[in-house]
Amino acid sequence: MTLLSLEQVSVAYDNHLILENFDLKLEEGKLLSLLGPSGCGKTTTLRLIAGFLEAKGGKFMFDGRDYTHLPVNKRNFGFVFQSYALFPHLSVYDNVAFGLRLRKMKEGQVKEKVLRMLDIVSLNGFEKRFPQELSGGQRQRVAIARALVIEPDLLLFDEPLSNLDANLRVTMRVEIRRLQQELGMTAVYVSHDQEECFSISDQVAIMNAGKIEQLGAPTDIYQYPKTEYVARFIGFNNFLVFDGTRQGNTGLEWTIGDYGFDVQLQAGQSTANTYKGAIRPEDLRIIPLGQLTDLQKSLSNQVPGTVKVSTYLGRSYQFEVQTALGAFTVNQEMDIPIAPGQQVMITFPADKIVMVAQ
Amino acid sequence: MKINKMYWLLLPGLLFLTVFMLIPIILTIGSTFVQEGKPTLEGYLYFFKDAYFNRILLTTLRVSVFTTVICIALGYPVAYYISRLGTRKKGILLALSIFPLLTSPVVRSFSWMIILGRKGLVNNALVATGIVDKPIEILYTPTAMIIGLVHLFLPLIIITLVGVMENVDSELIRAAESLGASRFTALRKVLFPLTIPGLIIGSVLVFVGSLTAYTTPALLGGKERVISTFLYQNAMTLNDWYLASVIATIMIVITLVVVGLMNKVATKLNPKG
């Protein structure tokens, strides 16, 4: 069931439109990530949903009710801030109890709920501490507990992990996902970290300049980006700009000059107006030219080139290869790297080329 | 150079304060306990038994307390508004709000005399609108002193509070609102406790300032005396330097007690627990 929907929403800041006729829908119990570079409107969208910003036009429906002009404090949404925004003058206990006390709950019941919530975020025994006596990860957990304890109808996360170190980020995102699923919460999560969003979300919306470029399950987006922007954003660094099609040995081929490329189209893609192919560095293969037979050299989906740079990445090597079709980046595991200056053949597997809109 | 070898940098200032402030104060206080070569408390006993002086003391305290409370009540919302503005607007409004401090207290008081007098702006307006039949007495009353002092000290409390409020992250207010607090409740439960240190510093400045102010109460108070004008009267008009010293000592003690009490309150209410 659709719980949340933004319909044709516009938001302006200092007379500058950040969102224009923006649409978004979210099902109950799902976690949706808004992913994009800074300035793409993801935080604006989140703050609009929270009620910190007023929409200039459009409608925000939640659970069948019009929330467009409902004040923040009437929405019952939990918000987790990037800066945590813990009340520095209150103890951990009082921070978490803040929302419950505003609901005029009896102290006994408040205590029960606060202690249970601190238990859920593994902060038992920290009740009397003050925020400045906690580590970053602990503060973040207090912030989450404070947002969760009011049993919000929707949880909103604004880059909650960006102030934590790398290891803690991974632990905390697993934690957030576990809590969200266990409690059956609907959540909107904003981040600029691709891995973070993909690992915890049911749905990811990739945003660019106030618009959603693509919305879908993480695996769908990861494998089949629909636009060049999304492809670049999720690591498709190599692009083939086709100039036509022709009949090849195995069927229709896309061409760039004399080079032919066999491509597997996705469901719903037509052969008509798709002239850009994207491929990840780790999906390309390179072989030294000398190791190929003449027959192998004549196959399609191949481009010869020269290795310009070779970089050791730990698990694999990264090669910059200059070809007649431009430079390509290739990541490949190998024991002895191909030295710069060597002639190689790059292979583009047909099932790894993804056709994208420009 | 090690920091503990740099104490000599303090020497000139310390010397100046010792010679021109510390020693005179000690001498002044000391002189009040000695008369004709014998230790005595006569001066103090005389004052605390004297109904006239008690009335002056009470007026002074009343004027100071009212001035402080009114300054807080008027200054707090203004400071909140200014602290939420952008850098440019904030600069302009802060400059405007400290404008009263840049004018001479004499000029300022005279303008209040024109406004508050029997035929002044306020009375003319009140009579013309029929709110009162005949001009009411404002000038030369404690009320006039309070008005003048509020005008003088409001900027002080605004500057102090803006400084403190700027350090309160506006996300905290949003956090409180997202947890269900109305804007007012959020300000009361989050902003207010976090600005108590600033409120106390501001209150001490205003209270002590009002307590020791001379020009404003002298010009707007008429025959009404506060401690400072009474001190002046004893020293310059009556030429009684002994009583003037006693009054000065009492003022110093009151100031110290107030600052001490406020400090105690500040430590107790320290938001960081």
Side-chain angles (χ1 to χ4, degrees), chain A residues 92-93 96-97 100 105 107-127 141-142 144-152 175 178-179 182-183 185:
Chain A
V92 167
Y93 181 94
V96 179
L100 297 176
M105 200 174 272
E107 266 316 302
Q109 210 179 345
V110 168
K111 188 173 181 184
E112 187 188 316
K113 281 182 186 264
V114 171
L115 292 181
R116 201 185 63 215
M117 194 47 71
L118 287 176
D119 189 41
I120 289 176
V121 297
S122 319
L123 278 176
N124 330 55
F126 284 84
E127 298 85 28
R141 291 212 291 268
V142 177
I144 293 171
R146 187 180 65 177
L148 277 175
V149 79
I150 59 171
E151 290 164 23
E175 195 84 331
R178 181 180 65 81
L179 284 172
E182 273 180 18
L183 305 172
M185 303 284 315

Side-chain angles (χ1 to χ4, degrees), chain A residues 47 52 72-73 76-77 79 81 83 85-90 95 98-99 101-103 130 132 146-147 150 158, chain B residues 169-183 185-186 188-191 193-194 270-273:
Chain A
R47 292 189 169 242
F52 298 148
V72 185
N73 56 321
N76 197 37
F77 293 168
F79 199 102
F81 294 82
S83 62
L86 298 179
F87 306 126
H89 59 299
L90 298 179
N95 260 284
F98 194 91
R101 288 182 178 146
L102 288 171
R103 284 161 178 73
F130 280 81
Q132 53 277 21
R146 187 180 65 177
I150 59 171
D158 185 11
Chain B
D169 187 358
S170 52
E171 295 279 58
L172 293 178
I173 309 297
R174 290 199 194 98
E177 287 184 291
S178 79
L179 292 167
S182 64
R183 176 57 66 90
T185 309
R188 188 167 58 84
K189 292 199 159 193
V190 178
L191 182 76
L194 291 173
N270 192 333
K272 303 281 151 77

Side-chain angles (χ1 to χ4, degrees), chain B residues 240-272:
Chain B
D240 189 341
W241 287 88
Y242 172 71
L243 282 185
S245 300
V246 171
I247 299 167
T249 308
I250 293 172
M251 269 174 93
I252 292 172
V253 170
I254 292 175
T255 308
L256 289 179
V257 167
V258 167
V259 173
L261 273 178
M262 291 293 218
N263 259 329
K264 267 241 161 68
V265 175
T267 343
K268 200 155 202 180
L269 292 178
N270 192 333
K272 303 281 151 77

Side-chain angles (χ1 to χ4, degrees), chain B residues 120-189:
Chain B
L121 224 57
V122 174
N123 270 321
N124 278 349
L126 287 177
V127 173
T129 51
I131 295 172
V132 293
D133 300 332
K134 51 182 185 186
I136 53 166
E137 205 126 330
I138 313 173
L139 190 62
Y140 306 136
T141 65
T143 311
M145 292 190 216
I146 293 171
I147 292 174
L149 288 172
V150 166
H151 187 196
L152 175 61
F153 290 121
L154 195 55
L156 220 59
I157 209 140
I158 291 177
I159 299 172
T160 317
L161 284 175
V162 167
V164 180
M165 285 175 182
E166 275 175 338
N167 288 327
V168 176
D169 187 358
S170 52
E171 295 279 58
L172 293 178
I173 309 297
R174 290 199 194 98
E177 287 184 291
S178 79
L179 292 167
S182 64
R183 176 57 66 90
F184 182 74
T185 309
L187 295 181
R188 188 167 58 84
K189 292 199 159 193

Side-chain angles (χ1 to χ4, degrees), chain B:
Chain B
M1 206 188 299
K2 275 189 193 160
I3 188 81
N4 56 10
K5 285 194 178 162
M6 287 167 74
Y7 282 135
W8 56 269
L9 286 174
L10 296 174
L11 209 62
L14 216 60
L15 213 64
F16 180 87
L17 285 179
T18 311
V19 172
F20 293 105
M21 197 177 138
L22 198 63
I23 293 175
I25 286 179
I26 290 171
L27 286 179
T28 306
I29 294 176
S31 74
T32 63
F33 295 102
V34 184
Q35 269 226 314
E36 289 156 4
K38 282 183 218 146
T40 176
L41 285 172
E42 202 191 311
Y44 295 96
L45 291 174
Y46 168 73
F47 266 110
F48 286 110
K49 275 188 210 146
D50 183 29
Y52 181 55
F53 177 71
N54 280 331
R55 210 169 71 90
I56 289 174
L57 190 63
L58 213 67
T59 308
T60 312
L61 290 175
R62 228 177 57 213
V63 166
S64 301
V65 167
F66 270 105
T67 304
T68 310
V69 171
I70 293 172
C71 275
I72 290 173
L74 294 180
Y76 201 86
V78 175
Y80 177 66
Y81 177 77
I82 294 178
S83 71
R84 297 296 122 178
L85 291 174
T87 331
R88 222 178 73 87
K89 283 187 187 162
K90 193 186 286 173
I92 295 171
L93 282 188
L94 267 181
L96 281 177
S97 63
I98 61 169
F99 205 70
L101 286 179
L102 305 177
T103 55
S104 142
V106 179
V107 174
R108 214 177 323 116
S109 298
F110 272 111
S111 60
W112 278 115
M113 288 162 89
I114 296 167
I115 295 169
L116 300 176
R118 279 191 75 81
K119 297 204 166 140
L121 224 57
V122 174
N123 270 321
N124 278 349
L126 287 177
V127 173
T129 51
I131 295 172
V132 293
D133 300 332
K134 51 182 185 186
I136 53 166
E137 205 126 330
I138 313 173
L139 190 62
Y140 306 136
T141 65
T143 311
M145 292 190 216
I146 293 171
I147 292 174
L149 288 172
V150 166
H151 187 196
L152 175 61
F153 290 121
L154 195 55
L156 220 59
I157 209 140
I158 291 177
I159 299 172
T160 317
L161 284 175
V162 167
V164 180
M165 285 175 182
E166 275 175 338
N167 288 327
V168 176
D169 187 358
S170 52
E171 295 279 58
L172 293 178
I173 309 297
R174 290 199 194 98
E177 287 184 291
S178 79
L179 292 167
S182 64
R183 176 57 66 90
F184 182 74
T185 309
L187 295 181
R188 188 167 58 84
K189 292 199 159 193
V190 178
L191 182 76
F192 182 70
L194 291 173
T195 50
I196 284 176
L199 269 177
I200 291 192
I201 294 169
S203 303
V204 168
L205 286 176
V206 173
F207 189 84
V208 173
S210 310
L211 202 69
T212 53
Y214 175 77
T215 318
T216 308
L219 292 176
L220 297 178
K223 277 192 217 123
E224 284 284 345
R225 293 266 172 278
V226 290
I227 306 182
S228 60
T229 51
F230 187 52
L231 187 156
Y232 179 85
Q233 189 187 25
N234 271 284
M236 306 312 271
T237 317
L238 307 176
N239 225 344
D240 189 341
W241 287 88
Y242 172 71
L243 282 185
S245 300
V246 171
I247 299 167
T249 308
I250 293 172
M251 269 174 93
I252 292 172
V253 170
I254 292 175
T255 308
L256 289 179
V257 167
V258 167
V259 173
L261 273 178
M262 291 293 218
N263 259 329
K264 267 241 161 68
V265 175
T267 343
K268 200 155 202 180
L269 292 178
N270 192 333
K272 303 281 151 77

Side-chain angles (χ1 to χ4, degrees), chain A residues 305-310 319-322 338-344:
Chain A
T306 314
V307 173
K308 290 287 178 199
V309 187
S310 141
F319 302 100
E320 295 296 326
V321 183
Q322 190 62 44
I338 301 170
Q342 264 197 278
Q343 300 290 307
V344 292

